Amino acid sequence: MITLHEEITVQRSLKDCFRYVSDFRTVAEWDATALNAIKCTPGPVGLGSRFVVHCAVGPTKVRLEYEIIEYCPWASIVLLGKSRFFDVRDVITFTESGSQTQISYEAEFQYHWGISALEHQLESGMRAMGAESLRGLKDALDNIASLPEVSDCTARADRWVAPGVAMFSKWGYRRSVPHRQPNSKFLDGQHVVISGANSGLGLATSIALAEAGADLTLIIRNPANREGLLETLESATGRSDIAIEIADLSLMADVRAVSDRLLAKERPIDVLINNAGALFNDYGVTSEGLEQSFALLLASPTLLTQKLLPLLQNRSSPGRVINVVSGGMYTEKLVCERLIMTPPKYNGAQAYARAKRALTVLSELWAEQWREDGIVVNAMHPGWADTPGVASALPTFRSITRRILRTSEEGADTIIWLAKAREAGSVTGKLFLDREPRTPYLLTKTKESANQRAKLEAFIDTQIDSVLET
């Protein structure tokens, strides 16, 4: 048996350290050998939670199945890991010392299949590995990550259409994972507003940010889904304090009403995530007379963000606006006069892409306008994610690409990072995919004119005003 023992001291609270380490999904962020980690039991992390971790051991990839067998907040945690080649018992203890926390990590390895005869030869390498992993944990908890730069691979992909589009698949997501910096920040006491939170990317984001301690206000359309959503969130996170607002965001009157309710509460907003959306294959207009794609995908986030601006600005730390767009926008050029499509030339996918292109441009405009107000505005696109919206609106596309689609959690990862990460609060006006800034244009012919950029906001505001004044 080999026993490893390492200690570190970090400038983080006892609670933060315990929460970060006990959620063993984070091991992939700091352990030198961990390739990925998932939680395979439902509910919040606690006694009995199980995780699967894939590790690189020399030229071999090893699957480890971990279970929390002792769980004592905020003092200690014990995990038992099993693999084909060895079992490991990890004992992690946390001790508060003023503003610092001391973490003691002890791992006992018991080898199988006669490998124990090689323990002497393995020991020095194992000790070096353990020391490197704890240095990684210290870096993660010290929260010193810098804003990611565009990798060489990404820069090459952005110069060519096919490689750039290939990055939208699950392989693009997985390619990015080993190069990521840890994200150990918690959001205790921070107010996050998320639209379109009932399923897909919005639900995955809501669960992750609830786990991170954020106070959530979720905007959903159908009141019949309220109780089911609350039950899902409580089952996944243990949280029963999540606020739900009901509004049909394709209707400007509803957008105005929900904004007024939030303004009346006078609760500052730390993060606003404009995620609500749908792809309408058939042409339709709302009861207010706006074409439905334009109304939901562009007019709605515009009015919501403008109305909530007083709750976002002039904070001690930057307020954040995150606009969820789509890779489909790469095919379209901003032409304001073409944003509202009409029959017989209506095309749902094209209307969706045009609106998302406009929202990307709008993100850049807002970032510049609101810089002095202490608000950062960024757009992100999730790649190709297998969400309920894709299944219902694009069944043929899903059938063809199903094997390479991302999960909702993978698609939502960059939203979560933009909402949480300390370093993400220092950049504004960018488009992100897989936590990397990306070019908004894969094709030069899709770059809009300065005149179209200049008239975009006024064009949207005119359409909104036309229905609110009637």
Side-chain angles (χ1 to χ4, degrees):
M1 183 173 68
I2 296 176
T3 301
L4 309 180
H5 182 259
E6 297 286 340
E7 292 187 356
I8 56 172
T9 300
V10 296
Q11 289 287 142
R12 291 291 289 273
S13 70
L14 185 71
K15 183 178 179 181
D16 275 6
C17 292
F18 182 90
R19 290 159 72 192
Y20 182 72
V21 177
S22 63
D23 185 346
F24 219 54
R25 288 172 292 188
T26 65
V27 71
E29 296 185 342
W30 52 266
D31 188 290
T33 65
L35 301 173
N36 57 65
I38 60 171
K39 183 162 73 75
C40 48
T41 47
V45 171
L47 184 66
S49 291
R50 297 194 302 275
F51 306 85
V52 172
V53 181
H54 290 98
C55 297
V57 180
T60 304
K61 186 162 77 171
V62 175
R63 173 190 168 97
L64 271 160
E65 297 183 2
Y66 277 95
E67 182 177 354
I68 297 178
I69 60 173
E70 294 182 26
Y71 186 82
C72 303
W74 313 106
S76 64
I77 178 174
V78 180
L79 299 105
L80 184 62
K82 295 180 178 292
S83 76
R84 291 175 56 199
F85 304 107
F86 60 85
D87 294 345
V88 58
R89 187 174 186 269
D90 292 344
V91 180
I92 312 163
T93 58
F94 304 82
T95 306
E96 191 172 46
S97 177
S99 62
Q100 298 180 322
T101 299
Q102 184 178 24
I103 301 174
S104 173
Y105 201 118
E106 185 173 287
E108 297 177 348
F109 290 85
Q110 187 76 48
Y111 290 92
H112 306 155
W113 310 108
I115 299 176
S116 57
L118 303 174
E119 283 184 357
H120 182 70
Q121 293 94 318
L122 294 171
E123 188 166 356
S124 62
M126 295 290 289
R127 293 195 182 282
M129 178 195 71
E132 184 179 357
S133 294
L134 265 289
R135 286 194 296 270
L137 179 57
K138 178 174 171 56
D139 286 346
L141 287 168
D142 281 341
N143 200 24
I144 57 174
S146 58
L147 191 68
E149 298 179 353
V150 178
S151 67
D152 291 341
C153 179
T154 296
R156 287 193 298 271
D158 279 353
R159 290 194 293 268
W160 302 94
V161 176
V165 172
M167 293 288 191
F168 302 173
S169 72
K170 67 180 181 182
W171 306 118
Y173 171 83
R174 293 172 188 178
R175 173 203 65 86
S176 72
V177 170
H179 310 292
R180 294 179 178 177
Q181 300 176 88
N183 184 9
S184 68
K185 188 175 181 233
F186 290 94
L187 298 178
D188 296 339
Q190 293 199 28
H191 183 203
V192 180
V193 177
I194 308 174
S195 68
N198 196 59
S199 63
L201 303 178
L203 179 58
T205 300
S206 299
I207 290 171
L209 297 185
E211 290 176 331
D215 295 333
L216 297 183
T217 297
L218 309 181
I219 305 175
I220 64 172
R221 181 180 60 86
N222 190 344
N225 293 332
R226 184 181 186 277
E227 293 307 317
L229 176 58
L230 289 173
E231 289 174 6
T232 296
L233 291 167
E234 184 170 5
S235 175
T237 69
R239 298 278 300 275
S240 59
D241 57 346
I242 293 168
I244 303 286
E245 290 284 348
I246 306 298
D248 182 345
L249 295 182
S250 70
L251 299 177
M252 298 306 102
D254 271 28
V255 176
R256 181 170 59 183
V258 74
S259 301
D260 287 344
R261 292 197 297 271
L262 292 173
L263 288 166
K265 293 177 181 178
E266 298 183 343
R267 173 75 191 274
I269 296 173
D270 296 278
V271 185
L272 170 63
I273 301 173
N274 288 313
N275 169 71
L279 193 159
F280 302 105
N281 286 313
D282 298 321
Y283 175 81
V285 295
T286 69
S287 60
E288 296 174 327
L290 281 181
E291 190 275 309
Q292 58 189 348
S293 294
F294 175 85
L296 179 60
L297 301 171
L298 192 53
S300 167
T302 298
L303 181 59
L304 184 67
T305 307
Q306 290 173 344
K307 289 278 290 179
L308 296 180
L309 199 59
L311 300 179
L312 285 157
Q313 61 191 174
N314 301 321
R315 311 294 316 286
S316 57
S317 59
R320 306 185 189 194
V321 176
I322 303 165
N323 291 323
V324 179
V325 297
S326 165
M329 65 99 182
Y330 280 111
T331 64
E332 291 293 327
K333 179 178 182 176
L334 173 64
V335 179
C336 293
E337 294 77 11
R338 290 164 39 188
L339 285 172
I340 301 178
M341 298 187 74
T342 57
K345 295 183 178 181
Y346 178 83
N347 178 293
Q350 197 170 40
Y352 186 91
R354 289 177 181 179
K356 293 299 188 180
R357 165 61 73 192
L359 188 57
T360 303
V361 174
L362 203 57
S363 301
E364 297 171 353
L365 297 174
W366 286 346
E368 188 60 34
Q369 292 171 21
W370 300 340
R371 191 184 299 270
E372 298 303 317
D373 294 319
I375 299 173
V376 301
V377 185
N378 291 294
M380 67 76 62
H381 83 82
W384 292 332
D386 192 5
T387 64
V390 169
S392 62
L394 297 170
T396 302
F397 171 82
R398 182 178 182 272
S399 177
I400 294 170
T401 61
R402 183 170 51 87
R403 294 184 181 275
I404 62 170
L405 294 180
R406 303 169 178 221
T407 65
S408 293
E409 291 73 20
E410 291 169 340
D413 176 79
T414 297
I415 307 175
I416 298 159
W417 175 79
L418 284 168
K420 282 182 59 182
R422 176 191 56 79
E423 63 273 19
S426 65
V427 63
T428 191
K430 299 296 184 183
L431 169 68
F432 286 88
L433 169 65
D434 294 331
R435 307 191 192 183
E436 282 188 87
R438 305 300 295 262
T439 177
Y441 309 97
L442 289 175
L443 300 167
T444 55
K445 67 180 183 180
T446 62
K447 187 167 178 59
E448 68 282 346
S449 68
N451 179 58
Q452 289 294 326
R453 287 178 70 91
K455 67 194 292 187
L456 176 60
E457 284 188 274
F459 177 85
I460 300 169
D461 288 344
T462 298
Q463 301 301 319
I464 293 171
D465 290 344
S466 69
V467 299
L468 290 179
E469 291 173 356
T470 58

